[in-house]
Amino acid sequence: MTRVNAGAVRLSLFLLACCTLFASLAVAQKQRLVVAQDGSGDYKTVQAALDAVPQNNPNRITILIKKGIYREKLSLDSTRHYVTLIGEDKANTTLTYDDYSGKTLADGTKLTTSTSGSFYIFANDFRAENLTFENTAGPVGQAVAAFVTGDRAVFINCRFLGFQDTLYTGSPRHYGRQYYKDCYIEGTTDFIFGSATAVFDHCTIFSKKGGQYITAASTPEGKPFGYVFVDCTLIGDAPKAGVYLGRPWRNFAQTVFIRTRMGKHIRPEGWHNWSKPDAEKTAFYAEYGSEGPGAYPQTRVAWSKQLTKEEVQRYDRSNVLAGHDQWKPLLKATKVNF
């Protein structure tokens, strides 16, 4: 019978523990990861890179994503903060999936709007640049491309592609702050919706044929701000005077358009009450300096508002997003080399 050397066993276990610890530290301390489908990076899939971010991460980790169509149902959980995703090329770096509300899974369960998303972002301090977020389910009902509930989320030069419910900006239990700059968002009905306080800065909003509403805010009662669109452009291939600026998913919805150029597809009355007359007393829908063939300040519904020059100062980005921590999102794109 072979005799076991207890000292050697203890030493082996110690060395194994050290190797495991050093490997974990190496991942934790690596602040830049690369995703490439051809195997030239650290990971071949985006989800593998997201999973490599340490839980309760205190330092920003940048994940560079090389060109490709990444067909993955993605999730960044609520413990993995300070993550930046940067695509090599916005038009050719796509994160996509095709789930939709009502789809039956193999186990017999059916998806809902909240479970139809292509990418779930639950963590705080998330940032994305030069990426396309997509849901390719088509015109089959609610089908979310990006579901964002974390606080202090930033999207720079990104695209959001889908039909109904393209961009979900927070569920009723989550209403963090979000900032979108130089982004393109397209869809049919309620394709920007949710409870977040969100600023859309110099974004292009495209209404597809078959849709009737751009926004469906569900701003919680008592929150000072909901959606604020600043210097944006509303275009689309929807019929003339066929699209409303918004309707209240929840009765205290807030949506404001400032210096926005509106195409001919925007309806003269502007806003819809979602067949909820009581919402007319609680929702806050307003404009300032709208321009273009879809700008009809004189014919908007009586319960909406045209802001004065003094009132519009309240909607400065720094004031809308400040919150208790005086948050100021970094506006410049990150310089990286792929």
Side-chain angles (χ1 to χ4, degrees):
M1 186 172 181
T2 305
R3 212 168 177 182
V4 177
N5 187 319
V9 171
R10 285 196 295 271
L11 178 60
S12 297
L13 292 174
F14 173 75
L15 292 174
L16 178 60
C18 287
C19 290
T20 302
L21 176 62
F22 290 150
S24 299
L25 288 174
V27 172
Q29 292 172 0
K30 191 169 185 180
Q31 302 302 304
R32 173 172 160 154
L33 304 173
V34 178
V35 178
Q37 292 176 324
D38 63 4
S40 61
D42 300 294
Y43 300 96
K44 289 185 176 181
T45 67
V46 176
Q47 189 62 59
L50 296 177
D51 290 342
V53 176
Q55 292 186 339
N56 301 312
N57 175 47
N59 301 306
R60 184 158 294 280
I61 291 180
T62 299
I63 300 174
L64 306 182
I65 305 175
K66 292 194 174 183
K67 293 178 185 178
I69 297 175
Y70 296 82
R71 190 179 184 279
E72 306 177 51
K73 191 173 178 77
L74 299 167
S75 180
L76 180 65
D77 74 46
S78 60
T79 68
R80 292 178 163 91
H81 307 299
Y82 299 105
V83 171
T84 293
L85 299 185
I86 302 178
E88 185 175 8
D89 179 335
K90 174 180 67 175
N92 296 295
T93 310
T94 302
L95 311 181
T96 184
Y97 211 69
D98 59 358
D99 276 348
Y100 57 91
S101 180
K103 179 179 180 179
T104 303
L105 301 181
D107 62 1
T109 60
K110 285 190 175 183
L111 296 178
T112 65
T113 300
S114 295
T115 56
S116 70
S118 299
F119 196 161
Y120 291 85
I121 300 162
F122 299 117
N124 295 335
D125 298 288
F126 175 82
R127 184 179 178 93
E129 302 179 28
N130 304 328
L131 283 169
T132 293
F133 300 85
E134 181 182 51
N135 189 308
T136 59
V140 294
Q142 299 91 338
V144 176
F147 186 122
V148 190
T149 67
D151 192 19
R152 299 181 297 272
V154 176
F155 297 85
I156 306 291
N157 195 36
C158 289
R159 298 192 304 165
F160 300 85
L161 310 182
F163 283 78
Q164 184 174 352
D165 291 5
T166 304
L167 176 59
Y168 197 162
T169 68
S171 65
R173 296 192 307 273
H174 301 90
Y175 36 84
R177 294 158 293 173
Q178 302 176 17
Y179 178 63
Y180 299 80
K181 186 175 188 296
D182 299 324
C183 290
Y184 172 90
I185 308 167
E186 70 171 30
T188 53
T189 295
D190 304 336
F191 59 97
I192 302 173
F193 73 112
S195 57
T197 291
V199 172
F200 300 85
D201 184 354
H202 287 83
C203 292
T204 298
I205 315 298
F206 189 97
S207 293
K208 287 183 171 182
K209 188 182 299 184
Q212 293 181 295
Y213 307 92
I214 295 175
T215 67
S218 58
T219 316
E221 182 178 1
K223 297 297 289 184
F225 302 103
Y227 292 156
V228 179
F229 294 82
V230 182
D231 298 314
C232 291
T233 302
L234 309 185
I235 59 175
D237 59 9
K240 181 179 179 180
V243 175
Y244 290 95
L245 296 171
R247 60 177 178 171
W249 182 15
R250 299 288 185 269
N251 282 10
F252 290 87
Q254 293 191 48
T255 303
V256 177
F257 286 89
I258 298 171
R259 297 185 302 273
T260 296
R261 182 160 185 82
M262 301 183 178
K264 62 183 180 180
H265 61 296
I266 299 302
R267 297 180 67 104
E269 60 268 46
W271 309 93
H272 192 277
N273 67 5
W274 209 326
S275 300
K276 298 184 289 187
D278 288 346
E280 296 181 8
K281 303 173 185 177
T282 52
F284 185 80
Y285 287 151
E287 297 172 67
Y288 175 82
S290 296
E291 298 179 345
Y296 296 94
Q298 69 278 8
T299 60
R300 296 300 194 227
V301 292
W303 47 279
S304 66
K305 183 177 179 60
Q306 296 294 316
L307 300 172
T308 66
K309 186 176 182 180
E310 291 71 30
E311 289 171 329
V312 79
Q313 302 305 314
R314 178 171 179 260
Y315 294 91
D316 181 83
R317 177 185 62 244
S318 60
N319 188 46
V320 173
L321 297 175
H324 65 281
D325 55 1
Q326 296 300 302
W327 179 52
K328 293 182 180 180
L330 179 64
L331 307 183
K332 292 184 178 180
T334 307
K335 293 184 178 180
V336 295
N337 294 315
F338 279 83

